Amino acid sequence: MDRKDWIALAQADRADAAPSTREAARLAALRDYRLLDAPADDELTAVVRAAALVAGVPHATLNLVDEDRQCQLTTVGFEGADSARADSMCALHFEEGLLVHVPDASRDPRFARNPWVDGRLGHVRTYASSPLVSADGHALGSLCVFDTVPGPVAAERLAVLQDLAGVLVALFERRRQAREAADQGRRAGEARELAVLAMSEAEARWEQSEAVAETVDVGLVVVDGEGHVTSLNRTAREWHGDAAVHFAADGTTPLAPCELPWLRALREGSVEGVELVLATPDRAPRTLVCSGRAMRRTDGSPLGAVVALHDVTQARDREKALAAAHAALAEHSARVQSLADASRALAAAPDPQQVVCRLVRELTGADAAYLLYPVPGDRGPELRPVATAGLPDVDIVYPLDEPSLAGLTFTSAAPVFVGDVSTHPRASQRLANLTGVASGAWHPVVLSGQTSGQRTVGVLGVFWREVRHELPEHVLPVLQTLTGEVAHAAERAELLQRLADAAERDTLTGLANRRRWDDVIATEVARAGRTGAPLSVAVIDLDHFKRYNDGHGHLGGDALLREFAAAAQECLREVDVIARWGGEEFVVALPGCAAPDAVTVADRIRAAVPRGQSCTIGVAQWRPGLLAHDVVARADAALYAGKEQGRDRTVVAP
């Protein structure tokens, strides 16, 4: 059964069993693993460390829940200790069998008064916990990650957290099975000792040994001094049947008659731990371990040999299953570690777009990869690569108004896999021929905004040059993780750009602020000095703004400022810059404009003042030798001259 089946079984058992019976069975299953009060090994600690790394939080713990306590078997980022079950956050929900995630535990009524949240034991805020469910459906505890600051954990990281919880249960099971195998080996040794005892007694009391041999579950084969089989006990007869064939330990190489263990014992004096495979029609092969020795008469002549056969089929099958499980666990752990390493590499990379193409090739075994972003095209938006790996230098473009697999992925925001692109109607055969691509997988890069919802911002594609009829199972998780990292990088870039814009914009009007204006006017004065091109500056003041503000309220005054800012911008060229100077004052840089042209622009602005209001504008043209603040001061002086002359006019500085 997979992990989902275990959880379903646990939920069904909880629904059917009485609480006391259910809890008793759960505690019995927990104690059967012999984990409580035992030190965690390196493998368990490594998985808990990987959980913290994947979730992107500093703290993680492996919790086991007894009848009255929570045992923190191993922790990362803090000193773990036992605590009362009543104080445990995980004990509130772990028996439900479902992953729990809250961005801020202090705001969740289930946890707000918990000692781990309210400060008595800790200050948990970000919290995610995946239950540890045994193979027979019992909830043992949880794999928990947390932080002391609020914040969400991405869905793809929560999915990996659930996988790591499954890894922990698999490690528990492997340890239990290894202990059972050791116990079985001990019992097998005891059985072999019993068989040897029976063989030694057979030399002196043959008839009594025959009776004993018929009662044990160990096969016994007796041969005479010539090597002829004279006796098989009940177990050996049942195993051999009528047409048994003996093979070497590999199960495929037939044993020559002289290599049969009983004949070797007769010839060599003894055999110990010889393994063979017994095959009979209509039965599964049986693996036997053979030990025995030759018997001699008192005069030293050969009497025969007795060999005991011990069935180790289940033990060998269990060893193979454990080896396969260990290999699968090692492979899964390696992939989890690789994804964690990839996440760190992307977070630290100066160019995450190029790094993600290299990483996705390495982690998926693909021949090539690209990362596409939408850009404006001649006929509308189109997808073009911002980074590639393993592809020839050809023009890759997917107009969004034309059918393509990349476009389908972008518009549907869903992953696409095509085993043979040469037969798919949406595939670009021109690009397939140029790049040699035979199979491909495409995954959208999706941003999840708090206000704007989800939106697709790109496509990550991986390709093989040989046809792949099925997508390897590890490829989709890799694409999900890496596109999530690309989305986070894009989100961070957008946030930085918004912060940069906010630092240079007036929050009320959206115009350039005083800081931005200082940079602009310094640049324009320097350019005018180099080129000799004219430059004019206009300072604007809304007439009687205080009176308007008192009569219409601050909200009305704010609305007038916003509407004037928008109207003034409509009167300007793209190269002109208008900034809010302070209060109801604005300043405009007009590169390439001499004073007469600047007056024309100023009059246009005065005519556009909304809500029946007016403004006064002072204009000054820059002259060689003037600094930036000098030309602004001259325009400001002209503005005040206009106010003294009655307002609602444009005045040019002399």
Side-chain angles (χ1 to χ4, degrees):
M1 295 192 298
D2 60 20
R3 189 169 183 277
K4 292 182 179 178
D5 294 331
W6 296 355
I7 292 174
L9 178 61
Q11 293 172 335
D13 288 345
R14 284 196 293 272
D16 296 339
S20 59
T21 303
R22 183 170 68 244
E23 178 64 4
R26 188 190 73 80
L27 293 172
L30 175 63
R31 288 163 186 160
D32 188 47
Y33 284 106
R34 300 183 188 177
L35 294 167
L36 290 168
D37 303 317
D41 58 29
D42 292 341
E43 290 181 317
L44 298 179
T45 301
V47 174
V48 175
R49 190 182 306 113
L53 184 62
V54 167
V57 298
H59 309 295
T61 175
L62 193 171
N63 299 325
L64 299 176
V65 181
D66 205 343
E67 62 267 342
D68 58 0
R69 62 170 175 154
Q70 172 182 272
C71 173
Q72 292 179 328
L73 192 60
T74 180
T75 62
V76 171
F78 71 103
E79 188 71 24
D82 287 1
S83 60
R85 179 172 177 174
D87 294 338
S88 168
M89 296 177 70
C90 297
L92 295 175
H93 59 77
F94 79 108
E95 291 188 274
E96 298 172 3
L98 301 175
L99 183 141
V100 172
H101 167 233
V102 291
D104 189 347
S106 68
R107 296 180 176 274
D108 192 303
R110 295 173 295 177
F111 305 113
R113 296 183 180 275
N114 188 277
W116 286 96
V117 178
D118 64 16
R120 284 176 285 166
L121 293 178
H123 298 85
V124 173
R125 294 298 180 266
T126 299
Y127 172 75
S129 175
S130 183
L132 304 175
V133 182
S134 68
D136 50 2
H138 294 296
L140 309 175
S142 68
L143 174 58
C144 170
V145 297
F146 65 91
D147 200 349
T148 56
V149 296
V153 178
E156 62 270 19
R157 294 175 184 261
L158 294 175
V160 176
L161 182 66
Q162 288 182 298
D163 291 343
L164 291 176
V167 170
L168 288 173
V169 175
L171 288 172
F172 295 169
E173 188 66 22
R174 188 182 73 180
R175 289 173 56 167
R176 185 179 68 81
Q177 291 178 351
R179 187 177 68 248
E180 290 179 352
D183 292 341
Q184 186 177 24
R186 177 180 52 77
R187 292 192 295 271
E190 293 172 353
R192 284 195 296 271
E193 292 176 3
L194 177 62
V196 171
L197 176 62
M199 287 186 290
S200 64
E201 291 178 348
E203 295 181 58
R205 294 182 290 179
W206 187 266
E207 291 182 0
Q208 184 179 1
S209 298
E210 285 282 323
V212 172
E214 288 295 309
T215 65
V216 297
D217 292 330
V218 175
L220 292 175
V221 178
V222 181
V223 296
D224 60 20
E226 300 297 325
H228 302 116
V229 176
T230 60
S231 176
L232 298 173
N233 74 338
R234 172 187 56 81
T235 301
R237 291 193 301 272
E238 291 177 355
W239 288 350
H240 279 77
D242 297 328
V245 179
H246 300 92
F247 294 91
D250 61 9
T252 59
T253 305
L255 277 181
C258 63
E259 293 299 316
L260 292 171
W262 36 93
L263 297 184
R264 284 183 56 189
L266 183 63
R267 182 173 67 249
E268 300 170 11
S270 67
V271 291
E272 182 69 31
V274 176
E275 190 166 313
L276 61 82
V277 175
L278 181 66
T280 55
D282 303 324
R283 294 183 189 176
R286 192 183 300 270
T287 302
L288 306 175
V289 172
C290 309
S291 299
R293 60 191 180 93
M295 299 180 295
R296 297 190 178 276
R297 297 182 179 88
T298 56
D299 61 3
S301 61
L303 177 63
V306 178
V307 173
L309 315 177
H310 181 72
D311 187 357
V312 295
T313 304
Q314 291 185 350
R316 294 295 180 267
D317 290 344
R318 190 174 294 111
E319 289 171 1
K320 292 177 182 177
L322 282 173
H326 183 74
L329 179 60
E331 182 180 1
H332 184 77
S333 298
R335 287 176 181 164
V336 170
Q337 185 62 48
S338 296
L339 285 175
D341 292 343
S343 295
R344 286 199 301 271
L346 282 173
D351 183 7
Q353 297 169 345
Q354 193 62 49
V355 172
V356 76
C357 287
R358 174 178 59 80
L359 289 175
V360 77
R361 284 185 70 196
E362 294 175 0
L363 295 176
T364 63
D367 297 315
Y370 62 35
L371 178 62
L372 306 176
Y373 276 1
V375 296
D378 295 338
R379 296 181 301 172
E382 56 192 26
L383 296 173
R384 285 186 175 271
V386 294
T388 64
L391 289 172
D393 186 13
V394 298
D395 186 26
I396 299 175
V397 57
Y398 300 101
L400 288 179
D401 61 351
E402 296 180 5
S404 67
L405 295 169
L408 175 62
T409 305
F410 184 85
T411 55
S412 66
V416 173
F417 168 70
V418 174
D420 187 353
V421 298
S422 66
T423 62
H424 199 283
R426 279 185 171 265
S428 170
Q429 299 306 318
R430 180 186 69 84
L431 288 177
N433 293 333
L434 288 174
T435 59
V437 168
S439 296
W442 293 261
H443 200 284
V445 179
V446 179
L447 285 184
S448 299
Q450 294 182 348
T451 58
S452 59
Q454 290 190 338
R455 59 188 177 94
T456 305
V457 297
V459 174
L460 179 62
V462 293
F463 310 102
W464 295 265
R465 293 193 169 90
E466 293 183 358
V467 172
R468 297 276 183 118
H469 295 293
E470 293 183 355
L471 185 67
E473 63 177 12
H474 70 283
V475 172
L476 186 57
V478 169
L479 291 176
Q480 290 171 336
T481 299
L482 293 184
T483 53
E485 293 297 333
V486 172
H488 294 156
E491 192 171 25
R492 287 193 296 271
E494 286 190 359
L495 176 59
L496 290 174
Q497 186 58 51
R498 288 197 299 271
L499 291 174
D501 291 343
E504 297 185 342
R505 293 289 168 185
D506 175 60
T507 56
L508 176 64
T509 63
L511 300 179
N513 60 15
R514 184 71 172 265
R515 175 181 174 182
R516 175 61 179 158
W517 167 258
D518 290 341
D519 291 340
V520 167
I521 192 60
T523 300
E524 294 300 338
V525 166
R527 180 183 292 114
R530 287 194 314 271
T531 64
L535 169 66
S536 293
V537 171
V539 178
I540 306 169
D541 183 83
L542 292 177
D543 295 333
H544 305 296
F545 179 76
K546 183 179 183 307
R547 186 170 62 192
Y548 184 91
N549 206 43
D550 292 341
H552 295 80
H554 290 295
L555 293 180
D558 288 348
L560 174 60
L561 291 173
R562 281 194 298 268
E563 292 173 15
F564 173 73
Q569 279 187 302
E570 290 294 322
C571 299
L572 300 175
R573 302 165 300 169
E574 187 174 344
V575 296
D576 301 330
V577 175
I578 180 171
R580 188 178 179 194
W581 186 248
E584 70 272 23
E585 287 189 333
F586 301 83
V587 62
V588 182
L590 299 167
C593 275
D597 296 326
V599 169
T600 301
V601 175
D603 289 342
R604 237 184 357 250
I605 293 174
R606 287 196 305 108
V609 179
R611 302 197 175 200
Q613 301 303 301
S614 64
C615 71
T616 302
I617 303 177
V619 173
Q621 181 173 340
W622 176 82
R623 296 173 183 173
L626 291 180
L627 299 177
H629 68 270
D630 294 332
V631 68
V632 174
R634 294 180 70 244
D636 193 45
L639 166 69
Y640 278 93
K643 286 186 173 184
E644 292 175 357
Q645 296 172 20
R647 293 186 171 84
D648 191 16
R649 66 192 64 233
T650 301
V651 177
V652 179

